[in-house]
Amino acid sequence: QVTLVESGGGSVQPGDSLRLSCAASGRTFSSYVMGWFRQAPGKGRELVASINKSGSNPDYAVAVKGRFTISRDNAKNMVFLQMSSLIPEDTAVYYCAASIRLLPTREHEFLYWGQGTQVTVSS
């Protein structure tokens, strides 16, 4: 029903910035709460940011608060994650996901997922 495709990952040095993009299919993009998850090697998938349907209420994990910014453009069916002041601990595969819940926080509350994009932060 919904297809999500991430892009923008890459290998950068600590302190650098990256902007991840997620393109969604369909005409009901604005019906979903959107989130960005990440999964580091040997660790579980964690929610790093989410944004409500209109884009007026972003939320962030403590680990990225003040450094990452989530935004969405419903007219273009896209959601973004601007990452600044990157540190090695940010290294992970980042996933875009969509939820029909009002306040999703857990992996199972997101129904649709992208394929993931690799972000590597190293000196």
Side-chain angles (χ1 to χ4, degrees):
Q1 184 176 357
V2 176
T3 300
L4 305 173
V5 180
E6 304 98 332
S7 62
S11 182
V12 299
Q13 296 182 343
D16 285 352
S17 298
L18 277 177
R19 182 181 175 89
L20 304 183
S21 299
C22 175
S25 66
R27 298 174 59 188
T28 59
F29 177 72
S30 62
S31 297
Y32 297 94
V33 173
M34 300 298 297
W36 286 96
F37 284 78
R38 68 184 182 186
Q39 187 167 23
K43 297 184 178 180
R45 195 168 295 183
E46 66 170 332
L47 179 65
V48 299
S50 64
I51 191 165
N52 68 332
K53 298 172 183 179
S54 68
S56 63
N57 186 32
D59 195 31
Y60 303 94
V62 172
V64 307
K65 192 170 297 183
R67 299 188 298 117
F68 290 10
T69 301
I70 187 172
S71 61
R72 67 191 297 165
D73 187 337
N74 288 342
K76 297 181 178 180
N77 282 15
M78 297 194 72
V79 61
F80 307 95
L81 186 67
Q82 177 67 48
M83 306 184 295
S84 300
S85 301
L86 286 163
I87 58 177
E89 289 76 15
D90 295 321
T91 296
V93 177
Y94 283 73
Y95 298 90
C96 175
S99 177
I100 60 174
R101 303 289 296 272
L102 286 177
L103 298 170
T105 59
R106 294 175 173 240
E107 183 176 349
H108 76 271
E109 294 175 320
F110 288 81
L111 184 61
Y112 302 105
W113 295 81
Q115 83 288 351
T117 185
Q118 177 70 47
V119 173
T120 301
V121 185
S122 63
S123 58

